[in-house]
């Protein structure tokens, strides 16, 4: 469902030097799979995910969502994709319902199916309490859930989530991740990036570790963990190995 | 439809319905956001609505106060006058004054006092009363004042006012009015007493008819458009603020909240998102506009009732029209404001940056709106297209019910004043208004739509710009650190260059003195070089890429065929540039005629002055080459690279070229030049983009700028002696030298050819460089051929028109020409006249296109009679042109220059023979003899000294030795030495030396004697002019004026009955010279047998001869023109030579 092949993204810093944000990354996510993208800040996670979300254009390489290339068919890619990032916010004066409704309209959904869909999402994500409150008055956890709801309005088969639990407390984070489990069970492909390793230690099907724009390790949890006791240790070991090579 | 179905349906092509839905959905979302922001809404919508009534109230009160103030100062008061002096006289005067009637005529009612009261008393009492303020003036009444008044003299009245305070002008005016009344009364009495009618003092009675303000009203009509103009500017500003906050919220606010990404990942194109947001922002701006307009309208309606004569300011039913038109116009303005604010905020990275950028933009737009107050819509149909200013001008134009040009009242109007006939109902005036404004309104709306569309495109591009979305604000590490090297300048830097250039241009124009000769190059430097230098010092760029400093490239790349490609593209560009100028001039002529604005005229004069005062190469460099290079570097180099960017999409490339061309046009400041400069900018931009090189653009621009020089050269204005009246030249230059059709065709052909060549150059394969050259040559030949064809047609047309051109319809088919025989000019050969004059006439006849009937007369006197009696239309004569003759009849331009001439006998021998003859003079022979003797003597001596020691050179045997010695001497004298001889002994050498020196002197003496002899012969012998006649025997015709002339010059005259005989006498050498009339002499000398005679010297006592015409003949003009033509093209000389021979 999600494919990234040899993605390269360079940009020019203000002093003229070239920054290699992503330097040859390849990964894939199949339907029903949850892949965790791990890395320190500035490793290139966000850039990769933004390319997938068609917010950035790759310098070279391919990225595909639901079979649609992000460069040649961005609209198609967007239709297959739901994107939530840490910085994604909600309009302050609209209620969650209005947000979802306007987003559904943007996707070209008709009123009837849209209403049904919204009801479905409200139920499955547990938004009933605050669905009609202006989003500016919601707590951070509620806001993230509202964002996720918005991303799900058009029933995307793939979800790309960039550090979705950043602003959340322990409870909120756990609730959100629980939701992700449910979505995966639905058969969606989820690509999740985070630097909170302990949260996803046991939830993901695969891990991909990125450092300096390159993949330094990828595989199933057992492969990654290997001899190490925790994901954290494995992570640092992978970074060291990557730095050495 | 389920979500999956919807997805499948949407997977296909985006339908326009879907896109419209998306836009509306977005607009709805944003509007919901805006509306829920209550505080902003309040400030934007409701506050202005409350403001107008307050504003109106205060201004109404202010106007009212001002008016009542004026009233109080002009209202009539009570006049109190104290009379002193003789009681009886004072009473009488007071009675007379009191009995005066207030005059009915057109004297303002404010002058006459409300009432006049009189007091009487002593001088002290009067003075006290006036000082105290109880009275206004006191007058010392003269004795017998009324008697004097009714008498014949002038009484003098001294009206005394207070000394301690100022007498109000009101009192003075009123008193003067009263005394005037008194004077009129006195006049009437005096005329009555004299028995004269009253009308004696009133020669003229003036009455006005038509619709007029009653006398005495203060016309407030002029105030209204000005005052209301301010309101419109305010309205414009408020509409813009109505767009300000929503725009910031719509984009920058979303960025800050982090919701912009959610829009960017929706399956909509960026333009859809932008359109949706635009709709939302525009809705708010429109709401602001409507709220403001309604408020203003209501306030105006109410406050007009407060204003005195308010009803007259705006006729009934006019207000809705004003509101309607202004609203329509401002809809365009609100859309532009919304789009502009949106564009600016999209370019900003945060809300704060957006506000910082938007505020100055708004200020500039407000200034532009203010400029709309002084625009005269009638002048220019394109002015309403200007954003902000055009709409304000439109709105203000609705307030002028007449078709008066809208200028501030103090400025004298230039335009025609059309007044409506009196009594026309205001309804008609209203419909007239709508008709008048319909076109400008349409123009304004269309231009608004175009501008909005353009801005939305730009915004869509900016919206997805990664740099703006994801990179934080640029942080300067060190305030003075230069930014890193870039490939090209950024868009902001592109516009910065323009801003600096514009500022530089402005200041350069302001600082330089008005008649500074090099003003234009200095301005160029300020406008072009300065920004480039400044910016390149700050931002390092890849010069090659930015300025296109490379040879033209083909689309397929490759370096082969560079030469051919360069040649083809440069020549193509030159053709295009030249043709473009001509086409532009033609279009300008067609659209505007020869009406040029004062600034354009000044500029043209300056340019022409520059072109004429300098050598051609310098003025070409200043006008064509340097500006071309400079402007190309700035606009097509820096600015276009900045705008078009690194990997441009097609749309971006087009947009970049168009915007650059627009900036280029605006830079030239004069509206007349803008369309042409815009076209040039477009073409040059396209050239640069296509060939990726600046060279063709420079060539094109240089060719374009050279055309005025070429045209000026064609007009002939380049030579310094040319018509110094530069106004005419300016007119010709500004009018494009009356572009004939062939020039336009040639221009079109040249543009087409140039484009073809460029296409070949760019598209052609790399190996086709030679093919390019061939194609270039072919096209050049075609162009030249076409142009020559055109020239030929035009020339042929002109030539064919020539003979006819000189002929007015006045020349009749047949002319009667009177001819009298005159020796050497006219003779009768059977029944046809012949002669040089007849041949000249035959040629004239052809040129006039008529036929001739000759009328034969015998004497000159009869010739004149035929003219006077009407028997003949022309008398050939020819007549000497003298003043007395001119009085009797008309004479044409001279055909013959005549006068007196001298004939002499030519000498038979050639110069050489005569020189030889003069050699044998006694003097010369003497000299030669002496030389020979000396030579003999020294030869002997030499031989004697040499023969013993030098036998090879000088042999001992006497005869042989003598011969050698003399040979040696001769050689030495002439050549300075002898080849095969040398002189050995000292004595011999002494002689030799003496002979060498002597030889030089001898030669000199010989030469001078010879020369002197020859010269003396000349001087003593010949006659060369009239001055040489003194003391000579001169033959002339008896009783002619020549006799007197010869005697006057001191010659001895011998008279003959005929000139022939005199010439024969000259031939026989009986005379030194013959003097006679030039023409006759030429004719006689041309006959056989007289080859030995020559005419020498100038024509003296000259006079001209022409043909005779009756006074006021219509033939004079055409004949004169034809005669002049004959003279100019040499026909006259040819005919004369045939008959009279060459007599140089």
């Amino acid at each position: 469902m999600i494919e990234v092949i040899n993605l390269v993204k360079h940009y020019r810093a203000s002093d003229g030097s070239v920054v290699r944000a992503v330097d040859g990354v390849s990964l894939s996510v199949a339907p029903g799979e949850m892949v965790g993208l791990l890395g320190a800040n500035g490793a290139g996670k966000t850039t990769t995910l933004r390319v997938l979300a068609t917010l950035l254009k790759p310098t070279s390489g391919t990225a595909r969502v639901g079979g649609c290339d992000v460069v040649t068919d961005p609209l198609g890619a967007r239709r297959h994709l739901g994107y939530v990032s840490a910085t994604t916010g909600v309009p302050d004066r609209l209620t969650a319902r209005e947000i979802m409704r306007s987003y559904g309209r943007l996707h070209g959904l008709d009123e009837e199916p849209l209403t049904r869909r919204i009801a479905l999402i409200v139920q499955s994500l547990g938004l009933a309490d605050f669905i009609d409150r202006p989003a500016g008055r919601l707590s951070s956890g509620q806001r993230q859930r509202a964002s996720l709801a918005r991303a799900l309005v058009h029933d995307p088969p793939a979800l790309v989530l960039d550090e979705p639990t950043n602003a959340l407390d322990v409870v909120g984070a756990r609730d959100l991740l629980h939701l992700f489990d449910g979505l995966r069970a639905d058969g969606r492909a989820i690509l999740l990036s985070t630097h909170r390793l302990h949260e996803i230690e046991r939830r993901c099907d695969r891990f991909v570790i990125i450092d300096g724009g390159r993949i330094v390790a990828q595989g199933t949890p057992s492969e990654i963990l290997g001899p190490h006791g925790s994901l954290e240790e494995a992570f640092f070991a992978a970074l060291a190995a990557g730095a050495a090579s | 439809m389920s979500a999956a179905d919807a997805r499948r349906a949407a997977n296909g092509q985006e339908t326009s319905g879907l896109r419209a839905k998306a836009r509306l959905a977005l607009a709805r979302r944003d509007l919901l956001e805006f509306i829920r922001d209550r505080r902003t809404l309040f400030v934007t919508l409701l506050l202005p609505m409350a403001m107008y009534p307050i504003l109106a109230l205060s201004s109404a009160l202010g106007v009212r106060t001002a008016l009542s103030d004026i009233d109080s100062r002009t209202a009539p008061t009570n006049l109190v006058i104290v009379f002193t002096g003789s009681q009886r006289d004072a009473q009488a005067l007071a009675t007379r004054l009191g009995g005066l009637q207030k005059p009915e005529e057109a004297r303002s009612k404010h002058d006459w006092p409300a009432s006049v009261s009189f007091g009487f008393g002593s001088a002290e009492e009067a003075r006290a009363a006036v000082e105290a303020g109880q009275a206004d003036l006191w007058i010392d009444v003269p004795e017998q004042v009324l008697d004097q008044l009714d008498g014949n003299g002038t009484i003098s009245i001294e009206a005394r006012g207070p000394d301690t305070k100022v007498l109000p002008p009101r009192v003075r005016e009123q008193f003067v009015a009263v005394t005037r009344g008194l004077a009129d009364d006195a006049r009437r009495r005096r005329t009555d007493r004299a028995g004269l009618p009253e009308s004696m003092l009133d020669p003229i009675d003036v009455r006005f008819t038509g619709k007029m303000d009653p006398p005495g009203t203060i016309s407030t009509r002029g105030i209204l458009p000005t005052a209301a103009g301010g309101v419109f500017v305010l309205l414009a500003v408020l509409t813009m603020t109505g767009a300000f906050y929503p725009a910031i919220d719509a984009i920058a606010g979303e960025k800050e909240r982090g919701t912009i990404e959610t829009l960017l990942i929706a399956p909509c194109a960026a333009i859809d998102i932008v359109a949706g947001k635009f709709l939302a922002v525009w809705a708010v701006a429109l709401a602001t506009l409507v709220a403001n307009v309604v408020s203003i309208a209501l306030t105006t309606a109410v406050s007009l009732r407060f204003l005195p004569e308010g009803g007259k300011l705006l006729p009934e039913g006019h207000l809705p029209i004003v509101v309607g038109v202004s609203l329509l116009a401002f809809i365009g303005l609100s859309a532009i404001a919304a789009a502009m604010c949106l564009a600016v905020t999209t370019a900003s990275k945060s809300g704060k940056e957006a506000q910082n950028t938007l505020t100055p933009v708004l200020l500039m737009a407000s200034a532009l709106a203010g400029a709309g107050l002084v625009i005269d819509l009638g002048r220019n149909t394109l002015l309403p297209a200007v954003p902000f200013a055009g709409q304000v001008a439109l709105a203000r134009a609705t307030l002028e019910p007449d078709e008066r040009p809208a200028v501030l009242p103090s400025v004298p109007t230039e335009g025609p004043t059309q007044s409506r006939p009196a009594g026309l109902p205001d309804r008609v005036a209203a419909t007239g208004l709508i008709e008048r404004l319909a076109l400008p309104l349409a123009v304004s709306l269309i231009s608004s739509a175009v501008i909005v569309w353009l801005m939305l495109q730009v915004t869509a591009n900016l919206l997805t710009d990664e740099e703006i979305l994801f990179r934080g604000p640029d942080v300067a590490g060190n305030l003075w650190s230069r930014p890193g090297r870039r490939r090209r300048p950024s868009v902001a830097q592109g516009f910065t260059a323009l801003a600096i250039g514009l500022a530089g241009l402005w200041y350069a124009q302001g600082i330089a003195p008005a008649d500074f000769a090099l003003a234009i190059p200095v301005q160029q430097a300020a406008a072009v070089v300065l920004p480039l230098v400044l910016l390149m010092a700050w931002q390092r760029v890849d010069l090659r890429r930015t300025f296109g400093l490379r040879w033209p490239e083909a689309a397929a790349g490759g370096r082969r065929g560079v030469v051919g490609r360069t040649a083809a593209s440069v020549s193509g560009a030159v053709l295009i540039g030249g043709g473009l100028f001509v086409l532009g001039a033609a279009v300008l002529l067609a659209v505007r005629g020869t009406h040029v604005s004062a600034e354009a005229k000044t500029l043209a004069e300056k340019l022409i002055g520059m072109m004429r005062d300098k050598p051609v190469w310098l003025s070409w460099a200043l006008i064509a080459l340097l500006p071309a290079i400079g402007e190309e570097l700035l606009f097509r180099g820096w600015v276009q690279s900045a705008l078009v960017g690194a990997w441009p999409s097609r749309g971006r490339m087009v947009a970049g070229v168009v915007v650059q061309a627009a900036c280029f046009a605006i830079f030239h400041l004069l509206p007349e030049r803008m369309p042409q400069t815009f076209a040039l900018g477009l073409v040059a931009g396209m050239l640069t983009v296509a060939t990726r090189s600046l060279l063709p653009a420079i060539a094109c621009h240089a060719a374009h700028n050279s055309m005025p020089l070429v045209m000026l050269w064609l007009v002939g204005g380049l030579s310094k002696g040319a018509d110094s009246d530069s106004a005419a030249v300016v007119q010709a230059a500004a009018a494009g030298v009356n572009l004939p059709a062939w020039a336009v065709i040639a221009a079109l052909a040249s543009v087409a050819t140039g484009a073809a060549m460029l296409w070949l150059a760019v598209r052609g394969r790399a190996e086709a460089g030679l093919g390019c050259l061939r194609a270039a040559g072919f096209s050049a030949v075609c162009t030249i051929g076409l142009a020559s064809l055109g020239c030929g047609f035009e020339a042929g047309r002109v030539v064919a028109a020539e003979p006819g051109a000189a002929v007015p319809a006045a020349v009749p088919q047949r002319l009667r020409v009177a001819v009298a025989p005159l020796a050497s000019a006219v003779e009768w050969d059977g029944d046809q006249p012949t002669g040089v004059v007849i041949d000249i006439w035959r040629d004239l006849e052809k040129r006039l296109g008529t036929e001739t009937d000759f009328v034969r007369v015998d004497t000159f006197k009869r010739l004149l009679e035929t003219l006077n009696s009407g028997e003949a239309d022309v008398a050939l004569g020819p007549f000497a042109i003298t003043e007395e003759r001119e009085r009797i009849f008309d004479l044409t331009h001279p055909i013959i220059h005549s006068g007196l001439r001298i004939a002499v006998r030519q000498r038979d021998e050639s110069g050489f023979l005569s020189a030889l003859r003069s050699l044998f003079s006694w003097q010369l022979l003497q000299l030669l003899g002496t030389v020979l003797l000396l030579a003999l003597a020294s030869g002997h001596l030499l031989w004697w000294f040499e023969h013993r020691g030098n036998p090879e050179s000088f042999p001992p045997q006497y005869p042989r030795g003598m011969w050698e010695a003399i040979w040696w001497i001769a050689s030495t004298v002439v050549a300075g030495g002898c080849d095969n001889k040398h002189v050995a002994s000292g004595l011999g050498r002494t002689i030799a030396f003496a002979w060498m020196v002597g030889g030089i002197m001898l030669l000199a003496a010989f030469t001078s004697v010879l020369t002197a002899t020859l010269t003396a012969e000349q001087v003593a012998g010949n006659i060369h002019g009239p001055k040489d006649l003194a003391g000579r025997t001169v033959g002339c015709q008896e009783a002619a004026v020549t006799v007197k002339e010869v005697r006057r010059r001191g010659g001895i005259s011998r008279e003959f009955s005929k000139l022939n005989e005199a010439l024969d006498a000259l031939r026989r050498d009986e005379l030194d010279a013959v003097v006679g009339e030039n023409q006759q002499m030429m004719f006689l000398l041309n006959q056989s047998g007289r080859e030995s005679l020559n005419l020498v010297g100038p024509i003296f006592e000259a006079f001209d001869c022409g043909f005779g015409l009756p006074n006021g003949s219509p033939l004079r003009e055409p004949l004169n023109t034809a005669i002049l033509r004959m003279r100019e093209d040499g026909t006259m000389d040819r005919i004369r030579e045939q008959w009279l021979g060459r007599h140089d």
Side-chain angles (χ1 to χ4, degrees), chain B residues 886-905:
Chain B
E886 183 66 53
R887 268 191 255 135
I888 307 173
F889 56 95
D890 271 350
L891 290 157
T892 63
H893 280 327
I895 309 182
I896 295 170
H897 299 290
S898 194
L900 298 180
R901 203 87 183 274
I902 304 174
V904 296
R905 176 125 186 246

Side-chain angles (χ1 to χ4, degrees), chain B residues 1054-1072:
Chain B
R1054 268 184 59 187
E1055 285 151 55
F1056 299 83
S1057 56
K1058 283 193 151 179
L1059 211 49
N1060 277 338
E1061 294 163 18
L1063 288 173
D1064 289 334
L1066 179 65
R1067 203 152 48 88
R1068 291 190 299 269
D1069 232 358
E1070 290 165 19
L1071 305 164
D1072 288 325

Side-chain angles (χ1 to χ4, degrees), chain B residues 314-627:
Chain B
L314 215 54
E316 272 304 310
H318 208 78
L319 189 61
I321 296 173
V322 174
V323 169
V325 171
S326 315
L327 198 60
L328 275 177
F330 273 66
I331 285 177
L333 189 142
S334 64
I336 296 178
M340 186 180 71
C341 292
L342 208 60
V344 171
T345 57
T346 311
S348 317
K349 290 177 182 170
S350 68
K352 187 162 130 192
E353 194 181 319
Q355 276 188 321
N356 284 342
T357 321
L358 207 47
T359 310
V361 168
L362 233 60
L363 279 174
M364 288 198 285
S366 311
L368 205 54
L373 283 181
V374 292
I375 289 179
D376 178 9
L377 269 186
R379 285 278 184 92
N380 195 331
T381 44
L382 283 182
L383 274 174
V386 176
F388 301 109
Q391 284 106 354
V392 169
L394 253 179
R396 202 200 49 171
T398 57
L399 292 173
E400 288 139 26
D402 314 324
E403 281 161 41
R404 252 181 297 133
V407 291
L408 304 176
S410 56
V411 175
T413 60
E414 276 179 65
T417 337
Q418 301 174 33
S419 55
R420 295 202 168 277
L424 218 71
D426 290 311
R427 220 180 308 122
V428 180
T431 37
L433 185 71
I434 296 177
E435 280 163 17
R436 190 163 43 103
L437 292 179
L439 181 64
L441 191 62
V443 169
S444 166
L445 287 173
I446 291 173
S447 115
S448 308
V450 167
I451 293 176
V452 164
W453 182 84
L454 276 173
M455 284 210 240
L456 289 183
Q457 304 297 321
V458 170
T459 313
N461 262 330
L462 287 171
L463 187 65
T464 50
D465 188 308
E466 296 172 12
E467 174 71 39
I468 297 177
L469 277 177
F470 296 119
R471 238 69 65 55
D474 294 319
V475 175
N478 172 13
L479 189 62
W480 300 111
S481 66
R482 293 167 76 175
R485 194 191 168 87
R486 297 175 63 114
R487 277 232 184 107
R488 301 147 211 281
S490 65
V491 175
Q493 284 163 341
F495 281 115
T496 310
L498 290 178
I500 297 178
L502 213 53
L505 188 64
W506 182 260
Y507 288 120
Q509 281 191 328
I511 294 175
D515 51 356
F516 185 37
L518 287 174
I520 293 176
V522 165
Q523 282 168 17
Q524 286 273 327
V528 164
V529 172
L530 186 67
L532 279 180
V533 162
L534 282 178
L535 281 170
M536 286 204 290
W538 177 246
Q539 168 76 63
R540 288 160 295 178
V541 290
D542 184 344
L543 290 176
R544 211 154 163 265
R545 250 181 256 266
T546 309
F547 293 110
L549 298 175
R550 46 165 96 96
W551 300 112
E553 290 182 356
R559 287 194 48 90
R560 292 179 59 189
V562 168
V563 174
R565 208 167 33 243
T566 311
S569 35
V570 167
S571 26
V574 164
L575 284 174
I576 292 180
L580 201 62
F581 182 87
V582 175
L583 287 175
V587 167
L588 196 68
L589 268 183
V591 167
R592 305 204 59 166
T594 49
H595 167 72
V596 285
S597 70
E599 297 86 17
K601 227 177 233 173
T602 322
L603 182 66
E605 277 178 17
K606 257 202 200 132
L607 279 173
I608 290 171
M610 234 174 73
M611 287 194 266
R612 281 167 59 177
D613 293 337
K614 297 183 174 39
V616 179
W617 63 268
L618 184 62
S619 42
W620 182 77
L622 284 177
I623 286 191
L625 191 64
L626 286 178

Side-chain angles (χ1 to χ4, degrees), chain B residues 51-69 220 223-224 227 231 296 298-310 313:
Chain B
M51 184 184 66
Y52 290 108
I54 299 172
L55 206 66
L57 217 58
S58 49
S59 50
L61 280 173
V63 172
R64 230 166 146 203
T65 316
L67 285 176
S68 67
D69 189 40
T220 41
I223 302 178
L224 184 62
V231 174
I296 293 176
L298 288 173
T299 313
T300 313
V302 167
S303 52
L304 280 181
R305 288 203 216 129
F306 276 107
L307 272 178
E309 304 147 30
L313 288 174

Side-chain angles (χ1 to χ4, degrees), chain A residues 9 57 79 91 93 98 113, chain B residues 1 10 14 33 36 268 466:
Chain A
K9 175 68 183 165
K57 285 217 185 320
R79 277 190 214 102
R93 296 183 210 105
E98 284 162 349
Chain B
M1 202 167 36
E14 284 279 331
E33 275 265 344
R36 290 196 183 157
C268 314
E466 296 172 12

